[in-house]
Each structure stands twice: as C-alpha cells, then as structure tokens.
Amino acid sequence: MAGPGLYGGDEIGALVFDPGHNSFRVGYAQEDTPKADIPSVVGVAPDDSPKLEPESKPDDSNISSKKNKYYVDTTFLHVPQPNMELHSFMKEGMIENWDMFEKVLDYSYDKVIQSVSQYHPVIFSESPWNVRAKREKLTEIMFEKYKVPAFFLVKNAALAAFGNGRSTALVIDSGATHTSAVPVLDGYVITNAVVKSPLGGDYLILRAREMLEQMGIDLTPATMIVAKDVVREKDKPRYTRRKLNFQVSNSWMSYMVKRTVVDYQQTVLQVSEGPYDERILSNIPAVHYEFPSGYHQDFNNERFKIAEGLFDHAMLGAGNIAATSVGMCDVDIRPALYNSVVLTGGNSLLQGFTDRLSRDLQSRIPGSMRLKMISANGTIERRFGAWLGGSILASIGAFQQMWVSMQEYEEAGKALIDRKCP
Amino acid sequence: MASGVTVSDVCKTTYEEIKKDKKHRYVIFFIKDEKQIDVEVIGARDEEYDQFLTNLQAGGAGECRYGLYDFEYTHQCQGTSEASKKQKLFLMSWCPDTAKVKKKMLYSSSFDALKKSLVGVQKYIQATDLSEASQEAVEEKLRATDRQ
C-alpha cells in the first residue's frame, strides 16, 4: 500500500513496545505473545576488558565520553562481571534514564527484531500518569534517532480494557512497583481520577526477603552455586560456592537474590480469602519450598501474612484505591465502572488476589450497584495484557489511519503527540 | 483512543427510523472488514426480546456485535395511581468472554464512534455474558434512572 514515510502497519509489521518496571516487552503486532521480555535493568561496567563480546555494543561517542559497556537481557545480566553495576531505566512507571533506555531499544532492534527501525511503525504503551515532557521526548527519539515511519502512544490501561472487551472499565493494574486503579471511559483514561499505591510485586519481594533473612535462610542465588547435596528438611544446606576471582557489585548481587525471592514469592505466597486470621489459616496445608542452596522447609501462615500487606493497609490497600478512584469519578459513570473491573498486571497473578479483591470491593460498593470482575485467565494474557492490546490495536485495519506519520511529525513537531494520542 | 472505524449512513438512517418513526423494534450492527460499522439485522416491531438476543448471538460464541433496542416497560411513579408506559432506547455492545481478543478489542474500541453518531440513546450497556444482556438485567438498568 505505501512506501516508507506513509502509513502501512498492516503490510510491514508494526512493532509493539510495552515498557514496565519488571520488564520491557517487545514484539510484532498481530502476534499473541511478545517476542522478548527484557528485564528493565541494564548492567553497566567500565569497558577495560580487552575481550569484545558481541552483545555489548560499543558506546556511541555522542552519548557519553566515558567508555562503558552495557549488558542487556537476561542472558548477559545473569553472568557475573567485574564492576558491573545494575540500574533500572524506569522510575514511577515512566522512562527515567534515556541513555540506558536507548541501549535497550538498540538491543531490541538488533537481537530481537533483527531489522532496521526505519521500516516498522511503532506503537508504545505508557503509564496513565506519564508527563508531557516525557511523551514528547519519546516521540522525538523515535522519529529523530530511530527514524520510524509512524508512531503511536497509548495508555496501557486503555489497552488492557480493550483487550478484555470493554471500552469503559476500572482497570486495576498490579505491577512490580505499584498497584493502580485507572478509570477508563469510552477508551479515554480519566487522568485526574487515577489512584496508585506503591504496594506491588517489589514490595512483596522486599517483605519476603526480610522475613527469609530473619529466619536465617541462605538466599545464595543459583548462579553462585556449583554443586549441592541433598539435605533433610530444615537442615543446614551443604553446597559448593562458585569461585570468582573478582568481587561482584552489590547491585548485581541484590538483583540476583531478588530473582531468587521472586521464585519463592510466585510459588509460595498466597492471599487469604478474608482478612488475615491466624486460626483459620493454620488449617490450610503448608507449602514446601526448596531454595537454590538446597535448604528446604514448609511454609504455613507466613505466606499469607506477607501477601496480606497488599490489602490490609487502610489507605493503600488494593480495594481502597479502587474505591477511591471510582469515588473521584462522576456519579453517572460509577455503576458502569463497578460493572467492569478489569484486573491486569503480573502481580495480580498472586494466588488468591482476584478473590480477595472482589470480596474487598463487594463490601465497599453501594448495594444498588453490581460488581463484575473481569480478568484474563492465562498467565501470558495477564502479564502482557497491555502489550497484547497494543498488538491487536496496531493490526486493526481501521487503525492504520490513526498513526502519527513521519511526515506529520516533520510538519508539526513533537507537540503533535498530545493532540493525536490523548 | 479510538480505532478509526467509521459508521455507515445506513446505521444512522435505520436508527432514525426506530427513534422517530418507530418502524422497527431493534437493529443489530456489526463491523464490516474491520473498517465500517454496518447494519446486520433489522427486527420487526412485533418481535420479542428473546429474538433480539438470538440474533445478537447469531454469529456464535466467538463473535461480537452491537445491538440497539427500543425497550418498553411500565413504570409507576410514587404517589400516582396510574402506571405509565415508558419507552427507552438502549445501545448494547456484546463482547462475550469467549470471543477472540482481537474481536473484543475491535468492538470495544469502536463503540465510542457508534455512540457518537447515534444521538439520543438513553442507556449504554456493555455486556460480556447473558446475565448482563438478559431482559431482567437490562430492565433493571433502565429503571435505575427513573424517578421513584
């Protein structure tokens, strides 16, 4: 249909980027899963080693004068490197460190997409509270640096609502760093009624880690263990530690320990159905878990106690932020919002999260309104809800006229993005 | 955010025929070739609600539709002795949970365009299963805005 510089997402494979705190999702539109799920942290090490690895791109001279090596994606991040410090490029749901973000984009085009950016229109998701300056900056980078033929920016909450068959919905997004309640009306986010709390997956990981350390459990990550013996339950682990001839950085070590706790969090933690009650919960069968070090034991109440933190907080509990958000909306649309509560985000996969939230909300809403919770069943759909929405949106025939094209950008400049993508 | 889907003129004229002339009972819309909302079925004035539901789901469990219905019911205001007959138009988006994500997305993101071109509809309903689309559920929603 069109040559470069015109619309044509259908023909030449539009790309969908969904940046999150835990990972950066990259893939082609029209597919049902992202091609890659890249961790949102980048390893930075001074480039003094003589060996040149193909994965680390030499620094562009125009970005910084210091010679640094960057490590992107799981495979390279998980290998210990001397002096490698890990940094996240995200902050509060927005892109903070643009240099590192560009490294990740470079990597995505190079290794994941394996094509040149000029040929693919790009659709980006953003958090509902993204600020104007950052939206414009992103637009600028995509057009000026990557020379994309067309670009579009959508709020991730709107994508999640669409993906679940709703144009009006209250989207509860529980991700790594925060849980947010976002009202979406006819596909537009009501930005002044967005409520967010800093309690998300990372908070649970932190609490779990504190607890495990207090219990004196060895959290040595799998990558540092060469061999281990089978020990009896609650016995001291016996393993051989990997020998490195250099000191690994603290940020790398704590990231690796975090990965270890993430696994624990995903398999063991559970949200209790009602408010935390020790007597009832002690009847529920314990869950057995073995750490990478070989240590293993049963976990009882404690697994509920940690997850309870997401709900029992007076102000920041998930049920409360949902109710507050709806309360800030117009009275007329409140029933419609309660009637379609869309649950998304990786942290909402925590066992029992859906049941508890629905119970919490049920007790808060006025009797005249009906509550309906909508959540995708599959892990993929829930974790990549926004990405999937973007993938589908970009593949819809009629959407092709919505793109912001290179030509329009050249005529109107970056301020255009606020008009074209509200 | 909208999908860019447009609304055909037939939709508007059919809507006017229901609203002004009361010629039909209901109309079912669908999205043609992912580009334009068009009329699929027009229901005669004497058809029942059940037929509307059947036609709405005619495409099977994996299909989405929009439906517009001229709903009649009797309502008695508090303190009055006589019940009055009421007619209300509602526009429903039907996106069953079993439908493909792409279909759901297409229909929900285009709902706004349809809403804007059909002026004067009293109630918008998003339905994902029969409990939300049933006659009772719809009547309850329409009554919710009535004076007691």
Side-chain angles (χ1 to χ4, degrees):
Chain A
M1 166 177 102
L6 284 170
Y7 326 106
D10 246 358
E11 285 76 15
I12 45 174
L15 300 178
V16 182
F17 292 113
D18 177 27
H21 262 280
N22 183 49
S23 61
F24 179 64
R25 276 78 68 174
V26 182
Y28 280 103
Q30 247 169 339
E31 291 185 0
D32 27 335
T33 42
K35 275 257 179 285
D37 184 27
I38 304 168
S40 288
V41 287
V42 176
V44 186
D47 192 8
D48 46 11
S49 54
K51 62 173 199 301
L52 256 176
E53 284 167 55
E55 76 275 9
S56 60
K57 284 158 293 295
D59 203 11
D60 286 345
S61 53
N62 59 347
I63 290 174
S64 66
S65 53
K66 274 186 302 188
K67 276 276 180 206
N68 276 336
K69 255 173 92 171
Y70 293 89
Y71 297 88
V72 184
D73 209 354
T74 330
T75 329
F76 308 112
L77 277 177
H78 286 198
V79 180
Q81 303 281 354
N83 299 321
M84 179 172 74
E85 294 283 350
L86 298 191
H87 302 280
S88 173
F89 56 78
M90 299 288 289
K91 196 183 174 195
E92 286 175 16
M94 297 179 280
I95 301 160
E96 178 74 12
N97 190 323
W98 295 93
D99 286 356
M100 272 183 219
F101 178 68
E102 282 175 26
K103 296 285 174 240
V104 178
L105 272 182
D106 286 340
Y107 173 88
S108 313
Y109 276 118
D110 233 41
K111 302 286 170 194
V112 182
I113 306 297
Q114 303 193 345
S115 178
V116 199
S117 53
Q118 282 95 304
Y119 298 140
H120 305 276
V122 167
I123 188 164
F124 245 96
S125 80
E126 57 168 358
S127 63
W129 49 88
N130 203 0
V131 291
R132 190 179 170 150
K134 294 198 190 239
R135 313 181 79 207
E136 289 181 357
K137 172 129 191 176
L138 182 64
T139 316
E140 202 174 353
I141 289 179
M142 291 320 285
F143 278 121
E144 304 279 347
K145 179 158 188 239
Y146 292 96
K147 308 247 181 288
V148 292
F151 180 70
F152 205 76
L153 200 55
V154 201
K155 303 247 185 290
N156 51 21
L159 291 176
F162 285 151
N164 285 291
R166 300 284 178 157
S167 57
T168 298
L170 178 71
V171 178
I172 313 274
D173 184 348
S174 190
T177 49
H178 43 248
T179 300
S180 60
V182 184
V184 178
L185 181 65
D186 294 333
Y188 293 95
V189 170
I190 306 174
T191 20
N192 54 6
V194 172
V195 181
K196 58 178 168 142
S197 92
L199 305 182
D202 283 356
Y203 166 78
L204 288 186
I205 294 165
L206 193 74
R207 290 271 311 263
R209 187 174 170 179
E210 271 170 16
M211 181 194 80
L212 295 173
E213 277 170 354
Q214 241 166 40
M215 292 165 81
I217 294 173
D218 192 332
L219 290 174
T220 311
T223 167
M224 296 302 286
I225 292 168
V226 182
K228 62 181 172 187
D229 292 336
V230 177
V231 292
R232 278 218 305 259
E233 188 175 346
K234 292 203 174 181
D235 270 3
K236 207 176 159 357
R238 284 192 307 271
Y239 62 90
T240 338
R241 207 182 162 88
R242 182 169 169 182
K243 295 243 175 346
L244 291 172
N245 51 5
F246 55 86
Q247 187 76 33
V248 293
S249 72
N250 278 336
S251 61
W252 184 80
M253 201 57 197
S254 81
Y255 176 76
M256 292 315 291
V257 171
K258 186 179 158 188
R259 306 297 326 162
T260 312
V261 184
V262 164
D263 186 62
Y264 169 82
Q265 178 223 7
Q266 286 169 348
T267 27
V268 177
L269 293 194
Q270 191 173 348
V271 187
S272 72
E273 240 172 73
Y276 183 77
D277 186 339
E278 202 147 310
R279 273 170 312 170
I280 302 172
L281 294 175
S282 51
N283 292 331
I284 295 176
V287 169
H288 198 77
Y289 186 80
E290 181 180 325
F291 291 89
S293 62
Y295 178 87
H296 56 112
Q297 75 158 83
D298 277 344
F299 289 92
N300 290 306
N301 279 339
E302 49 272 61
R303 65 200 181 96
F304 292 102
K305 210 168 185 170
I306 294 175
E308 190 66 15
L310 288 180
F311 288 94
D312 70 351
H313 198 285
M315 295 298 291
L316 300 172
N320 195 56
I321 61 164
T324 315
S325 168
V326 175
M328 283 156 85
C329 292
D330 204 76
V331 186
D332 296 347
I333 64 162
R334 285 182 204 170
L337 291 178
Y338 275 130
N339 207 351
S340 50
V341 178
V342 169
L343 194 59
T344 184
N347 192 42
S348 69
L349 285 164
L350 198 68
Q351 287 182 65
F353 192 99
T354 323
D355 300 339
R356 178 63 184 277
L357 183 63
S358 114
R359 198 186 149 122
D360 252 30
L361 277 176
Q362 198 75 59
S363 65
R364 284 169 198 274
I365 67 171
S368 58
M369 298 180 194
R370 273 178 70 221
L371 178 73
K372 187 165 171 162
M373 298 261 288
I374 305 156
S375 53
N377 292 320
T379 318
I380 306 274
E381 283 93 339
R382 199 83 74 79
R383 277 193 65 200
F384 306 135
W387 186 91
L388 204 60
S391 159
I392 293 158
L393 183 69
S395 67
I396 290 176
F399 176 76
Q400 305 315 323
Q401 57 195 0
M402 308 290 289
W403 291 103
V404 179
S405 72
M406 180 66 133
Q407 201 185 354
E408 284 171 286
Y409 172 78
E410 277 168 353
E411 281 162 12
K414 62 186 176 185
L416 183 74
I417 200 76
D418 267 335
R419 255 185 303 127
K420 291 269 297 196
C421 320
Chain B
M1 236 306 307
S3 65
V5 169
T6 53
V7 182
S8 75
D9 290 338
V10 190
C11 297
K12 290 174 202 160
T13 48
T14 320
Y15 171 69
E16 289 300 320
E17 281 170 12
I18 293 187
K19 189 172 175 250
K20 286 213 184 84
D21 317 335
K22 304 279 173 199
K23 258 166 82 178
H24 323 292
R25 175 61 63 191
Y26 62 85
V27 55
I28 310 252
F29 304 108
F30 75 116
I31 298 179
K32 204 172 162 183
D33 305 327
E34 296 184 358
K35 291 228 163 69
Q36 199 177 45
I37 301 175
D38 217 336
V39 173
E40 188 180 50
V41 181
I42 296 177
R45 196 66 193 166
D46 56 356
E47 282 190 43
E48 293 290 324
Y49 192 79
D50 285 346
Q51 277 157 304
F52 167 71
L53 279 186
T54 322
N55 276 322
L56 196 65
Q57 301 167 72
E63 281 293 330
C64 303
R65 286 289 179 270
Y66 303 117
L68 180 105
Y69 195 93
D70 188 7
F71 200 89
E72 281 177 12
Y73 61 96
T74 51
H75 175 73
Q76 190 167 10
C77 277
Q78 229 169 27
T80 57
S81 54
E82 263 175 53
S84 60
K85 217 169 152 190
K86 286 211 158 203
Q87 284 188 336
K88 277 189 183 175
L89 287 167
F90 72 82
L91 183 63
M92 179 188 281
S93 78
W94 170 249
C95 296
D97 294 328
T98 44
K100 278 240 165 152
V101 185
K102 179 163 182 181
K103 281 263 159 39
K104 288 198 243 182
M105 178 111 189
L106 179 64
Y107 275 79
S108 49
S109 59
S110 313
F111 194 37
D112 195 38
L114 190 62
K115 273 185 184 176
K116 283 202 177 109
S117 40
L118 308 184
V119 186
V121 173
Q122 273 103 337
K123 198 81 191 169
Y124 303 108
I125 295 171
Q126 294 188 81
T128 57
D129 58 34
L130 274 182
S131 72
E132 286 173 283
S134 71
Q135 188 162 4
E136 295 77 38
V138 167
E139 194 169 329
E140 191 194 317
K141 277 188 183 136
L142 294 177
R143 280 182 193 276
T145 45
D146 280 338
R147 220 174 304 156
Q148 288 306 308

